Amino acid sequence: ASSSAYASVGYLKGTYAKSEVSVRLIASKSKVAPLQKVSIPRLELLGAMLSVRLADKVMASLEVKSEHIFYWSDSMTVLWWLSRHSRGLKTFVANRVAKIQRRTALLNWNYVPSKLNPADLATRGILALDLKEDKLWWESPAFLTKGSEAWPRNAVKEAREGIKEVTKTKKFVQLDVYHLTQSPSNELVNWRLNPDPFPSWARLKRVSAWVHRFTGHSLA
């Protein structure tokens, strides 16, 4: 992804007699970035979601099994998000991460260095004459012609941008216990807190609200 667009490029790898391997471009898709400003990591996540949709179409057309599909991203942030539980992420990221996790296996996601990522050509732009001769675009990164042992290491680390999308853990507020003044009938219907220990009216209102929340009684 870039600030202007996000894209996905798909390749078909074939192994023939005498162990000959061929990798060729089979499909690509790009989209203009939303008019509303979106961070680059989130745009990268949209690119990952686009890759899933593109792969689904390829699998349906060529009857390729999902376990033979591999996904690549040059965003450590996206790969880190995908390795986490979606419920711990902010809404925008969580919704898309959940969709990707339901439709793909984490083991099929891999890291590709930016300089070897052909999708960058679609997001940053390239002249048609240059694209015609660009082997990275038409034939994929060279490591795809080799076994998985030659693939780039998929060492996902916690990225600063990724941590920003993690929801804050809810904290419980510790309340002091105060004496409740009860009505003669001993029913907590028209109850109130004893105001003497409170240093201010604001403090009394705040604690009263919390007590009301936990007991469910009216403040009237």
Side-chain angles (χ1 to χ4, degrees), residues 40-143:
I40 293 297
R42 287 189 173 193
L43 288 172
E44 295 277 10
L45 182 61
L46 292 177
M49 191 71 240
L50 185 63
S51 294
V52 174
R53 296 194 184 106
L54 186 63
D56 286 347
K57 291 183 178 180
V58 171
M59 284 189 287
S61 299
L62 301 182
E63 298 182 356
V64 179
K65 295 182 179 180
S66 60
E67 60 265 28
H68 295 153
I69 299 288
F70 294 91
Y71 303 87
W72 304 83
S73 175
D74 60 5
S75 173
M76 282 289 191
T77 300
V78 169
L79 295 174
W80 183 64
W81 284 336
L82 295 179
S83 69
R84 296 181 61 87
H85 199 294
S86 60
R87 285 187 297 181
L89 302 170
K90 292 183 179 179
T91 304
F92 181 98
V93 175
N95 290 341
R96 288 154 182 83
V97 166
K99 290 180 181 179
I100 294 174
Q101 289 175 338
R102 284 196 298 266
R103 294 160 66 175
T104 67
L106 179 60
L107 292 176
N108 286 11
W109 281 91
N110 300 278
Y111 172 73
V112 57
S114 295
K115 63 181 180 180
L116 298 179
N117 185 5
D120 279 355
L121 297 175
T123 62
R124 299 173 183 175
I126 184 174
L127 295 175
L129 290 176
D130 294 334
L131 182 63
K132 182 180 178 181
E133 304 298 331
D134 197 297
K135 286 189 175 182
L136 179 62
W137 175 260
W138 297 107
E139 301 178 12
S140 82
F143 67 79

Side-chain angles (χ1 to χ4, degrees), residues 194-208:
N194 181 5
D196 294 338
F198 294 90
S200 66
W201 170 242
R203 173 73 172 174
L204 175 60
K205 288 195 299 181
R206 184 165 61 251
V207 174
S208 296

Side-chain angles (χ1 to χ4, degrees), residues 13-23 145:
K13 178 178 180 179
T15 303
Y16 306 97
K18 299 180 181 179
S19 299
E20 293 181 2
V21 177
S22 174
V23 182
T145 61

